C-alpha cells in the first residue's frame, strides 16, 4: 500500500550516498593543513591530492554509467558503499604521499558512482508531485556530509599532532556502513524493473511509492515509453538531434555549477582563511564550519522552494546572488590593507552569502535537472554524462586554483590581488551563466518524466518546457 512516510524513508536512506559524497570531498579541507605539515607538501602537491579523488570520480562516472542500466540502480549503489568503506580505511593508513594519492583515486570511484546513481534512484522511485523535493535531498545530504566532515575535522584537529589527518579519514567508514545496510533492504526502481520486463515487481514497488490515483497512468506511460525505445540503441540515440538540448543542459549546468568556484571554497576554505589572516589550523578549520552550517540550512530551504518557485526562478535568483558575493570576496582580498582586521569578518560574511545563494540554486538544481531530462532507456547513460562533466570540471577547477593565484601573482605582483582576481574570474563566469540559463534552463516543476521525453521528441526548446 502507498505510504508517504515509506517514500521519505527510502529517499533518505538512498540519499546517504550524497552524505558520503559530501563527506569524502569535504574531509580533505580540514586534512590539508596537517598533510602540508606532516609530509612537507607544496601547493602543487596539495592540488594533486585533492584532484586525485576527483579524477577517481571522473573514472567512476565514466565506466559505471551503463552499469546502472544493466545491473540496476540499487546494486550499483551497494557496490559504491563497499568502496566507500575500504577507501576511507586505506586513506587513513596511507604511509606516504603515493599511497594517499592512490587511495584517494580509489575512493573517488565511489564518489563518481554515487553522484549519478543516487539521484537517479531517487528520481525514479519518487512520486511525481514531490520528485524535486526528494531528489534535492541528495544535495542536502551532500551539504550535511560536508558539514559533518568540517565538524569532525575540527574536533580531531590538534596543532601538536601533525598526523591528525588520519582519524579524519577514518570517520567516513560509519556512514558508508549505514548506506550499505540500508540499501540492502530497499527495492529496485519501478522504471528499471519495467525496462527489464519485470512488470509485476514494478507494479508492487509503484503501489508502495506512488499516489494510488496515478499508479495505472504511470505504468501505462512507462510501458509506452519502453515500447517506443525498444528498437533504439542508447549510445546512438543519446547523440541524435532530438536529444541535443538535453545533452547541452546536462553538460552546461555542470560547467557553471563548478566554474563559479564552489569547490575552491569547499576544498580550500581553511587555506583561504589562513591566507586572510586567521591564526592557526584549528581556527581556520572552525571558521570553515560556519560555511558548512549555512550550506546545510539553505539547502534545506531549497527543498521547500524547488517545487514551489520552480527551477528557472531559483536558477536566476541564486546565480545573480553568486555573482554579487564573488565580487565581494574578491574585494575583501583586494582591499585587505584598508580593511585591516575587518578583512576576516567581511570575508567570512561574503563567503556565507555566496554559499547561501549556491545552496538554493546551482547546488541542488544541477543534480535534479540531469535526473529529469533524459528518457528512460538512456537515463543512466545521460546522468552518467552529466556526472562525468561535473567531475571533469570539478577536477579542473580544484587542480588549477592555486595555479591561477600563482599566475595572477606573477602578472600583478601581489598575493592578495591575485586571490581577488581569481574570484573575479569566477564572478565573470557566473554572469555568463545567467545568459546561458535564459535559453537552456527548463522548467520541469510538476512535469512527468514521460512528458519531458515527449517534449524533446517534438523538438521543443528548453524555455518552452512546462506544465
Amino acid at each position: 500500500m502507498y505510504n508517504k512516510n515509506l517514500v521519505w524513508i527510502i529517499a533518505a536512506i538512498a540519499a546517504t550516498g550524497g552524505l558520503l559524497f559530501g563527506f569524502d570531498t569535504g574531509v580533505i579541507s580540514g586534512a590539508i593543513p596537517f598533510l602540508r605539515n606532516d609530509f612537507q607538501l607544496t601547493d602543487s602537491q596539495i592540488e594533486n591530492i585533492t584532484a586525485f579523488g576527483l579524477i577517481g570520480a571522473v573514472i567512476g562516472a565514466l565506466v559505471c554509467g551503463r552499469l546502472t542500466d544493466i545491473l540496476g540502480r540499487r546494486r550499483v549503489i551497494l557496490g559504491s558503499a563497499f568502496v566507500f568503506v575500504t577507501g576511507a580505511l586505506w586513506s587513513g593508513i596511507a604511509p606516504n604521499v603515493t599511497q594517499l594519492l592512490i587511495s584517494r583515486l580509489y575512493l573517488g570511484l565511489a564518489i563518481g558512482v554515487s553522484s549519478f546513481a543516487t539521484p537517479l534512484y531517487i528520481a525514479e522511485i519518487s512520486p511525481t508531485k514531490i520528485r524535486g523535493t526528494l531528489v534535492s535531498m541528495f544535495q542536502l545530504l551532500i551539504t550535511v556530509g560536508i558539514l559533518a566532515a568540517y565538524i569532525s575535522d575540527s574536533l580531531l584537529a590538534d596543532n601538536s599532532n601533525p598526523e591528525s589527518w588520519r582519524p579524519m579519514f577514518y570517520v567516513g567508514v560509519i556512514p558508508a556502513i549505514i548506506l550499505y545496510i540500508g540499501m540492502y533492504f530497499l527495492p529496485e526502481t519501478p522504471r528499471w524493473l519495467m525496462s527489464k520486463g519485470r512488470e509485476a515487481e514494478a507494479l508492487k514497488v509503484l503501489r508502495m511509492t506512488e499516489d494510488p490515483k496515478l499508479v495505472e497512468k504511470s505504468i501505462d506511460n512507462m510501458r509506452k515509453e519502453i515500447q517506443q525505445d525498444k528498437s533504439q540503441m542508447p549510445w546512438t540515440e543519446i547523440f541524435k538531434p532530438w536529444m541535443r538540448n538535453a545533452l547541452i543542459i546536462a553538460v552546461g549546468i555542470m560547467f557553471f555549477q563548478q566554474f563559479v568556484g564552489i569547490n575552491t571554497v569547499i576544498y580550500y576554505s581553511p587555506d583561504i582563511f589562513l591566507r586572510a589572516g586567521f591564526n592557526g589550523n584549528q581556527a581556520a578549520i572552525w571558521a570553515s564550519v560556519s560555511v558548512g552550517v549555512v550550506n546545510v540550512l539553505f539547502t534545506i530551504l531549497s527543498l521547500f522552494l524547488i517545487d514551489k518557485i520552480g527551477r528557472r526562478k531559483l536558477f536566476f535568483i541564486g546565480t545573480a546572488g553568486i555573482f554579487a558575493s564573488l565580487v565581494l570576496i574578491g574585494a575583501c582580498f583586494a582591499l585587505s590593507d584598508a580593511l585591516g582586521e575587518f578583512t576576516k569578518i567581511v570575508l567570512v560574511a561574503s563567503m556565507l552569502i555566496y554559499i547561501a545563494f549556491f545552496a538554493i540554486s546551482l547546488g541542488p538544481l544541477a543534480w535534479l535537472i540531469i535526473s529529469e531530462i533524459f528518457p528512460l532507456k538512456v537515463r543512466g547513460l545521460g546522468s552518467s554524462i552529466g556526472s562525468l562533466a561535473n567531475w571533469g570540471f570539478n577536477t579542473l577547477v580544484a587542480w588549477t586554483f592555486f595555479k591561477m593565484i600563482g599566475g595572477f601573482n606573477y602578472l600583478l605582483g601581489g598575493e592578495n590581488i591575485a586571490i581577488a582576481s581569481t574570484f573575479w574570474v569566477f564572478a565573470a563566469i557566473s554572469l555568463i551563466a545567467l545568459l546561458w540559463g535564459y535559453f537552456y534552463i527548463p522548467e520541469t516543476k510538476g512535469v512527468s518524466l514521460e512528458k519531458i521525453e515527449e517534449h524533446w521528441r517534438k523538438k521543443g526548446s528548453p524555455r518552452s518546457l512546462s506544465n
Side-chain angles (χ1 to χ4, degrees):
M1 293 294 290
Y2 174 60
N3 187 326
K4 286 184 179 179
N5 292 332
L6 177 62
V7 172
W8 281 93
I9 291 170
I10 290 172
I13 292 172
T16 307
L19 187 146
L20 283 157
F21 174 159
F23 184 91
D24 285 305
T25 53
V27 69
I28 196 69
S29 175
I32 281 173
F34 293 98
L35 285 167
R36 190 187 291 275
N37 295 333
D38 193 21
F39 291 140
Q40 300 299 304
L41 303 178
T42 64
D43 281 349
S44 180
Q45 288 174 309
I46 289 295
E47 284 179 334
N48 289 341
I49 290 172
T50 305
F52 260 59
L54 303 176
I55 291 169
V58 171
I59 296 170
L62 181 63
V63 303
C64 295
R66 283 290 291 146
L67 288 181
T68 59
D69 290 332
I70 297 169
L71 300 177
R73 290 45 164 149
R74 175 179 165 275
R75 288 180 185 172
V76 169
I77 295 173
L78 278 170
S80 72
F82 175 80
V83 177
F84 274 124
V85 172
T86 52
L89 292 172
W90 189 0
S91 297
I93 64 174
N96 51 51
V97 176
T98 301
Q99 285 284 320
L100 184 58
L101 287 170
I102 297 171
S103 66
R104 292 297 293 173
L105 182 73
Y106 172 75
L107 190 58
L109 295 173
I111 297 172
V113 170
S114 69
S115 70
F116 71 86
T118 300
L120 180 63
Y121 177 89
I122 298 173
E124 291 192 351
I125 209 160
S126 299
T128 300
K129 289 183 179 179
I130 57 170
R131 187 181 65 237
T133 300
L134 292 181
V135 174
S136 294
M137 282 182 63
F138 172 70
Q139 177 64 25
L140 172 61
L141 267 290
I142 291 176
T143 65
V144 171
I146 292 169
L147 177 58
Y150 286 171
I151 291 174
S152 65
D153 285 356
S154 301
L155 294 174
L156 295 167
D158 181 356
N159 286 332
S160 65
N161 178 16
E163 291 197 347
S164 292
W165 59 271
R166 294 187 185 278
M168 294 178 182
F169 288 126
Y170 291 143
V171 174
V173 172
I174 299 170
I177 292 173
I178 293 171
L179 176 63
Y180 188 90
I181 293 173
M183 284 303 301
Y184 184 83
F185 294 101
L186 295 190
E188 183 53 82
T189 72
R191 284 179 172 83
W192 184 82
L193 291 169
M194 283 288 289
S195 72
K196 298 302 177 182
R198 295 156 64 176
E199 188 170 324
E201 294 174 65
L203 188 59
K204 183 179 178 181
V205 176
L206 206 57
R207 283 174 176 159
M208 291 190 296
T209 59
E210 182 59 275
D211 186 327
K213 297 176 183 177
L214 300 175
V215 169
E216 290 303 322
K217 183 180 178 182
S218 296
I219 283 287
D220 287 342
N221 286 339
M222 286 183 220
R223 197 179 290 123
K224 290 175 184 176
E225 185 181 0
I226 291 166
Q227 188 63 36
Q228 188 176 44
D229 289 340
K230 266 187 178 178
S231 62
Q232 299 164 349
M233 292 298 291
W235 281 100
T236 57
E237 192 67 17
I238 202 166
F239 294 108
K240 287 187 176 179
W242 73 277
M243 287 299 302
R244 186 174 297 136
N245 281 329
L247 279 174
I248 291 173
I249 292 166
V251 175
I253 197 167
M254 290 305 184
F255 172 85
F256 290 113
Q257 188 202 58
Q258 293 304 310
F259 274 85
V260 297
I262 182 59
N263 282 314
T264 61
V265 174
I266 299 301
Y267 302 144
Y268 303 129
S269 55
D271 212 79
I272 293 169
F273 287 136
L274 285 170
R275 292 172 190 240
F278 281 76
N279 296 316
N281 294 338
Q282 286 171 297
I285 294 171
W286 274 111
S288 299
V289 171
S290 64
V291 171
V293 169
V294 169
N295 200 8
V296 171
L297 292 177
F298 278 83
T299 302
I300 292 172
L301 177 62
S302 77
L303 297 183
F304 296 97
L305 298 177
I306 208 157
D307 278 325
K308 292 182 179 178
I309 293 179
R311 283 55 158 165
R312 278 181 67 85
K313 286 182 181 177
L314 274 184
F315 176 87
F316 291 117
I317 292 169
T319 306
I322 287 169
F323 166 74
S325 53
L326 283 169
V327 171
L328 283 174
I329 292 171
C332 288
F333 285 97
L335 303 174
S336 59
D337 290 340
L339 291 171
E341 282 298 309
F342 287 104
T343 300
K344 291 182 283 187
I345 298 172
V346 179
L347 176 62
V348 171
S350 300
M351 288 181 71
L352 295 183
I353 294 169
Y354 168 75
I355 287 292
F357 278 109
F358 182 88
I360 64 167
S361 59
L362 285 174
L365 285 178
W367 297 108
L368 171 59
I369 288 174
I370 70 166
S371 72
E372 294 178 320
I373 58 175
F374 292 101
L376 172 62
K377 195 165 185 178
V378 294
R379 193 163 293 141
L381 178 59
S383 295
S384 176
I385 290 172
S387 182
L388 176 63
N390 178 279
W391 290 113
F393 298 139
N394 190 338
T395 303
L396 187 58
V397 172
W399 189 65
T400 58
F401 179 62
F402 290 120
K403 292 178 176 63
M404 287 176 66
I405 293 173
F408 279 123
N409 194 1
Y410 177 78
L411 292 172
L412 303 175
E415 183 175 86
N416 283 344
I417 192 64
I419 297 173
S421 299
T422 301
F423 280 103
W424 287 337
V425 168
F426 296 146
I429 292 172
S430 67
L431 272 183
I432 298 170
L434 287 169
L435 178 63
W436 176 85
Y438 177 76
F439 294 101
Y440 283 103
I441 292 297
E443 184 51 78
T444 54
K445 181 185 74 170
V447 183
S448 71
L449 299 177
E450 291 74 27
K451 185 176 178 181
I452 293 171
E453 176 180 0
E454 182 183 351
H455 182 78
W456 298 141
R457 287 186 180 277
K458 292 179 178 178
K459 299 182 180 179
S461 70
R463 285 176 56 200
S464 63
L465 177 60
S466 66
N467 283 318

